[in-house]
mmCIF file of all heavy atoms in Angstrom:
data_model
loop_
_atom_site.group_PDB
_atom_site.id
_atom_site.type_symbol
_atom_site.label_atom_id
_atom_site.label_comp_id
_atom_site.label_asym_id
_atom_site.label_seq_id
_atom_site.Cartn_x
_atom_site.Cartn_y
_atom_site.Cartn_z
ATOM 1 N N VAL M 271 45.244 4.802 29.884
ATOM 2 C CA VAL M 271 45.069 3.495 30.565
ATOM 3 C C VAL M 271 45.158 3.689 32.117
ATOM 4 O O VAL M 271 44.469 3.060 32.904
ATOM 5 C CB VAL M 271 46.224 2.578 30.055
ATOM 6 C CG1 VAL M 271 46.227 1.227 31.021
ATOM 7 C CG2 VAL M 271 45.928 2.127 28.605
ATOM 8 N N MET M 272 45.989 4.656 32.485
ATOM 9 C CA MET M 272 46.261 4.816 33.995
ATOM 10 C C MET M 272 44.977 5.025 34.872
ATOM 11 O O MET M 272 44.904 4.226 35.743
ATOM 12 C CB MET M 272 47.257 6.000 34.154
ATOM 13 C CG MET M 272 48.640 5.713 33.684
ATOM 14 S SD MET M 272 49.309 4.133 34.312
ATOM 15 C CE MET M 272 50.851 4.002 33.434
ATOM 16 N N PRO M 273 44.040 5.822 34.447
ATOM 17 C CA PRO M 273 42.917 5.990 35.345
ATOM 18 C C PRO M 273 42.079 4.656 35.367
ATOM 19 O O PRO M 273 41.361 4.461 36.257
ATOM 20 C CB PRO M 273 42.056 7.075 34.639
ATOM 21 C CG PRO M 273 42.950 7.730 33.679
ATOM 22 C CD PRO M 273 44.048 6.811 33.345
ATOM 23 N N LEU M 274 42.191 3.834 34.360
ATOM 24 C CA LEU M 274 41.483 2.577 34.280
ATOM 25 C C LEU M 274 42.062 1.525 35.283
ATOM 26 O O LEU M 274 41.440 0.929 36.103
ATOM 27 C CB LEU M 274 41.382 2.043 32.926
ATOM 28 C CG LEU M 274 40.729 2.980 31.979
ATOM 29 C CD1 LEU M 274 40.767 2.345 30.598
ATOM 30 C CD2 LEU M 274 39.307 3.270 32.328
ATOM 31 N N ILE M 275 43.550 1.381 35.094
ATOM 32 C CA ILE M 275 44.124 0.341 35.959
ATOM 33 C C ILE M 275 44.259 0.726 37.496
ATOM 34 O O ILE M 275 44.081 -0.133 38.328
ATOM 35 C CB ILE M 275 45.500 -0.036 35.374
ATOM 36 C CG1 ILE M 275 46.520 1.023 35.308
ATOM 37 C CG2 ILE M 275 45.331 -0.729 33.995
ATOM 38 C CD1 ILE M 275 47.855 0.499 34.716
ATOM 39 N N PHE M 276 44.476 2.021 37.684
ATOM 40 C CA PHE M 276 44.476 2.495 39.056
ATOM 41 C C PHE M 276 43.028 2.659 39.494
ATOM 42 O O PHE M 276 42.442 3.797 39.333
ATOM 43 C CB PHE M 276 45.296 3.742 39.262
ATOM 44 C CG PHE M 276 46.823 3.557 39.181
ATOM 45 C CD1 PHE M 276 47.491 3.502 38.050
ATOM 46 C CD2 PHE M 276 47.512 3.334 40.482
ATOM 47 C CE1 PHE M 276 48.836 3.287 38.016
ATOM 48 C CE2 PHE M 276 48.815 3.045 40.397
ATOM 49 C CZ PHE M 276 49.539 3.048 39.208
ATOM 50 N N GLY M 277 42.353 1.634 40.018
ATOM 51 C CA GLY M 277 41.006 1.812 40.408
ATOM 52 C C GLY M 277 40.137 0.797 39.662
ATOM 53 O O GLY M 277 38.921 0.747 39.916
ATOM 54 N N ARG M 278 40.744 -0.110 38.819
ATOM 55 C CA ARG M 278 39.964 -1.204 38.125
ATOM 56 C C ARG M 278 38.637 -0.611 37.618
ATOM 57 O O ARG M 278 37.591 -1.179 37.739
ATOM 58 C CB ARG M 278 39.695 -2.288 39.239
ATOM 59 C CG ARG M 278 39.301 -3.641 38.601
ATOM 60 C CD ARG M 278 39.461 -4.834 39.479
ATOM 61 N NE ARG M 278 38.747 -4.577 40.818
ATOM 62 C CZ ARG M 278 38.743 -5.463 41.781
ATOM 63 N NH1 ARG M 278 39.477 -6.532 41.757
ATOM 64 N NH2 ARG M 278 38.075 -5.223 42.921
ATOM 65 N N ARG M 279 38.731 0.579 37.000
ATOM 66 C CA ARG M 279 37.570 1.210 36.431
ATOM 67 C C ARG M 279 37.385 0.646 34.974
ATOM 68 O O ARG M 279 38.326 0.218 34.367
ATOM 69 C CB ARG M 279 37.813 2.724 36.384
ATOM 70 C CG ARG M 279 37.911 3.439 37.733
ATOM 71 C CD ARG M 279 38.694 4.640 37.489
ATOM 72 N NE ARG M 279 38.643 5.634 38.724
ATOM 73 C CZ ARG M 279 39.631 6.371 39.026
ATOM 74 N NH1 ARG M 279 40.792 6.292 38.403
ATOM 75 N NH2 ARG M 279 39.456 7.183 40.057
ATOM 76 N N ALA M 280 36.138 0.724 34.522
ATOM 77 C CA ALA M 280 35.806 0.277 33.208
ATOM 78 C C ALA M 280 35.110 1.183 32.341
ATOM 79 O O ALA M 280 34.276 2.016 32.856
ATOM 80 C CB ALA M 280 34.953 -1.073 33.473
ATOM 81 N N ILE M 281 35.351 1.025 31.002
ATOM 82 C CA ILE M 281 34.507 1.689 29.985
ATOM 83 C C ILE M 281 33.762 0.707 29.248
ATOM 84 O O ILE M 281 34.344 -0.308 28.828
ATOM 85 C CB ILE M 281 35.419 2.492 29.098
ATOM 86 C CG1 ILE M 281 36.146 3.641 29.703
ATOM 87 C CG2 ILE M 281 34.624 3.076 27.976
ATOM 88 C CD1 ILE M 281 37.149 4.403 28.875
ATOM 89 N N ALA M 282 32.456 0.805 29.161
ATOM 90 C CA ALA M 282 31.603 -0.181 28.510
ATOM 91 C C ALA M 282 30.746 0.441 27.547
ATOM 92 O O ALA M 282 30.745 1.653 27.275
ATOM 93 C CB ALA M 282 30.742 -0.835 29.556
#
Side-chain angles (χ1 to χ4, degrees):
V271 173
M272 292 307 175
L274 301 177
I275 61 180
F276 284 85
R278 200 161 53 185
R279 296 156 165 144
I281 296 177

